[in-house]
Amino acid sequence: MTETLSLTAAAVKFTCGMTPAALTGEHLRLARRCVLDGLAVALGGSQQPGMAPLGRYILSLGGVADARPMGAAGHRLPAHLAALWTGTAGHAMDWDDTQLAEGPGRPYGLLMHPTMPPLAAAMALTDMVARETGKPVDGARFLTAFATGFEVGCKIAEAINPDHYMRGFHTSGTIGAFAATATACRMLDLDEETTARAIGIAASCSAGIRANFGTMTKPFHVGRAAENGVTAALLARQGFSANTEALDGKWGYLTIAGPGGDPALVVEKFGAPFTMVSPGVSIKPYPSGVLTHPSMDAMALLMAEEGIAAQDIESVGLYAGSNVLGPIRYRIAKTELEGKFSFAFLLAAIALRNRCGKEEFTDDFVSSDACQAMQHRIETHFSEEIEAMGWDRIRSRVEIVTKDGRKVARWANEAYRGSPHNPLSDEELQGKFADNAAGLLTPEQQQKVFDLVWSLETAPDAGALVELTNWGALDGVGA
């Protein structure tokens, strides 16, 4: 009889056994898309207000010049600090992708942002590995390491009790550390014992609380996850000790941070199937929490179908269950960071501009008289009817009352744009990249990024990803 592996052992075995041969077909196609999306949102996020003080802090530390941070390739930093920068930039606009839930009792769309922690870790270690080995890291090695961390993070997020998030932990910061650790271990080609120690180290670094949503610290959670993963792998490689079953047992991570979980849901499923493929990943059309996207699309469609303009709106009601309303905490947004968690702002942006992208997520637009006035016309309402339908999908209904007395309503599409059931096309994904890269990269530079990513598994040097996305400097001053 085969003994069932612990969660830690299953994660370690998968991490060390992952090879480029596992990246085929749909898995390979989706991995490329996730990388392109991650590059896009990190580019756009690198301009956000929180990045300049973070950059000044990083530059003040000095250290070994091992790695180029994304968007600022003129700098060389210690690898863990490059990961911190890139990971924070990638989550700065809350536009990075979202893991879908599969296990029982898991709220749909509320597990983690799976791409940025492993992507930032892989990018940060590309230069170091190239220097140590004397040859570039090829695209196949890079993609394999990225996909490894993506899968490990998703499976641990699926295993932990969903109360982990409901109690206030930010899963992208906590579980993201394990994703980044697995990627770093794969990039460094660590053995099973060393990888197990790295996961143990990461278990004591994992952090992030939802109290900081709506502030610069929320994206810092993801940057710190990437930093922690790189640090854990490098410490383990130096012989630093840690519990090699740190996810499991009475004092293990699942028990302490869940509390509890169900490793049996995933221990036999690492890579079988890959979470990236099934149940899949949502690539966001809007830079806000995925729970808001169906309602935003419903608002836009309702206005178009009924011929309603912003000046026609008397009031808007958004009806949803607690899984949707709970995390969206700001009644009226005063800043763009608060706007990511404010239905009033998100629906106001759609009403006023029929879009909600990088240009709308500015403090000037959020605080403008027109936006503030529209926000005060929008209310959210808890719906017992929708709550009773369950949390297996993101459900909501939008109602608009016009100034001439009309009342119209529309249910949000459960197969919302960006979900695996209604994915963005490659052209739409490239459009999202262009939106994020506007003013930073020329169309010709953007096309070079597309050409590289769409054939990344055959690229001789993955470090070109950093070079091709270079635009400025860590302190906000052009390099």
Side-chain angles (χ1 to χ4, degrees):
M1 183 175 179
T2 303
E3 184 179 354
T4 301
L5 293 174
S6 68
L7 180 58
T8 311
V12 168
K13 181 179 179 181
F14 171 80
T15 298
C16 295
M18 182 71 169
T19 67
L23 278 167
T24 60
E26 184 68 356
H27 187 209
L28 174 60
R29 187 184 76 85
L30 293 173
R32 296 192 204 108
R33 282 169 56 88
C34 289
V35 168
L36 182 61
D37 188 58
L39 296 175
V41 298
L43 264 178
S46 67
Q47 292 184 292
Q48 293 298 294
M51 297 307 296
L54 177 63
R56 292 192 295 270
Y57 161 74
I58 290 173
L59 290 175
S60 74
L61 299 178
V64 179
D66 267 334
R68 295 168 296 171
M70 183 183 164
H75 295 285
R76 285 188 174 266
L77 308 170
H80 68 288
L81 295 179
L84 171 63
W85 165 268
T86 302
T88 303
H91 195 54
M93 290 191 296
D94 218 308
W95 212 346
D96 44 330
D97 57 14
T98 305
Q99 175 194 358
L100 301 188
E102 187 173 39
R106 271 65 181 163
Y108 187 90
L110 273 184
L111 288 183
M112 68 175 290
H113 297 276
T115 283
M116 282 317 305
L119 180 60
M123 294 185 73
L125 286 170
T126 296
D127 289 334
M128 174 188 282
V129 171
R131 176 177 58 78
E132 291 180 348
T133 61
K135 59 182 181 181
V137 172
D138 61 47
R141 179 173 183 169
F142 181 95
L143 264 181
T144 300
F146 163 69
T148 299
F150 189 110
E151 175 71 356
V152 168
C154 287
K155 287 299 194 282
I156 295 173
E158 193 73 65
I160 201 166
N161 189 317
D163 194 44
H164 177 75
Y165 183 88
M166 297 305 176
R167 290 171 62 213
F169 284 107
H170 181 203
T171 320
S172 301
T174 57
I175 308 301
F178 300 114
T181 300
T183 286
C185 289
R186 186 67 271 158
M187 284 288 288
L188 296 170
D189 198 24
L190 303 184
D191 61 25
E192 289 193 4
E193 193 275 338
T194 310
T195 298
R197 284 190 283 111
I199 290 175
I201 296 167
S204 282
C205 299
S206 166
I209 58 171
R210 288 168 59 196
N212 276 314
F213 281 21
T215 75
M216 294 175 182
T217 301
K218 181 179 189 280
F220 179 71
H221 295 165
V222 174
R224 184 66 89 183
E227 178 187 9
N228 286 339
V230 171
T231 298
L234 292 175
L235 276 173
R237 188 171 71 159
Q238 293 294 337
F240 207 75
S241 69
N243 189 307
T244 55
E245 292 283 348
L247 297 176
D248 304 278
K250 181 179 179 181
W251 304 115
Y253 190 82
L254 258 65
T255 300
I256 300 305
D262 190 358
L265 288 172
V266 303
V267 291
E268 301 294 336
K269 294 183 179 179
F270 281 84
F274 289 97
T275 299
M276 191 183 292
V277 177
S278 178
V281 61
S282 292
I283 291 181
K284 292 183 173 183
Y286 301 114
S288 59
V290 70
L291 296 174
T292 67
H293 295 179
S295 303
M296 295 164 74
D297 277 347
M299 179 77 175
L301 289 169
L302 183 58
M303 290 181 67
E305 291 164 354
E306 299 294 336
I308 298 172
Q311 60 268 25
D312 301 327
I313 295 174
E314 178 65 30
S315 65
V316 178
L318 185 281
Y319 297 82
S322 58
N323 62 317
V324 171
L325 298 181
I328 313 304
R329 58 187 291 191
Y330 291 96
R331 167 65 189 94
I332 299 293
K334 302 295 186 182
T335 68
E336 64 91 13
L337 286 169
E338 292 178 355
K340 298 178 186 302
F341 302 94
S342 168
F343 268 118
F345 166 70
L346 298 168
L347 298 184
I350 296 294
L352 292 168
R353 292 191 172 178
N354 195 35
R355 53 168 280 133
C356 197
K358 188 170 74 169
E359 292 181 3
E360 286 67 46
F361 278 90
T362 66
D363 287 347
D364 286 345
F365 177 66
V366 175
S367 62
S368 67
D369 290 344
C371 186
Q372 288 293 308
M374 184 61 73
Q375 287 192 61
H376 280 88
R377 298 178 192 169
I378 298 169
E379 294 277 0
T380 61
H381 306 278
F382 174 74
S383 169
E384 292 280 5
E385 174 194 8
I386 295 175
E387 183 83 357
M389 294 178 182
W391 292 1
D392 59 319
R393 288 289 184 270
I394 304 172
R395 298 182 174 94
S396 65
R397 186 177 72 254
V398 175
E399 292 184 357
I400 298 176
V401 177
T402 64
K403 290 180 178 177
D404 62 7
R406 285 191 296 154
K407 184 176 181 180
V408 295
R410 195 183 205 286
W411 281 86
N413 186 356
E414 293 180 15
Y416 59 93
R417 283 194 311 130
S419 73
H421 317 290
N422 185 15
L424 301 183
S425 67
D426 287 350
E427 291 73 22
E428 288 175 314
L429 181 53
Q430 290 185 177
K432 177 179 175 180
F433 186 98
D435 189 7
N436 278 277
L440 306 179
L441 304 180
T442 66
E444 292 74 21
Q445 290 173 313
Q446 294 175 35
Q447 187 60 51
K448 289 181 180 179
V449 175
F450 301 154
D451 293 341
L452 174 60
V453 173
W454 293 138
S455 58
L456 187 55
E457 73 279 7
T458 63
D461 182 6
L465 292 171
V466 180
E467 195 62 45
L468 290 176
T469 54
N470 182 42
W471 74 270
L474 294 185
D475 57 5
V477 180

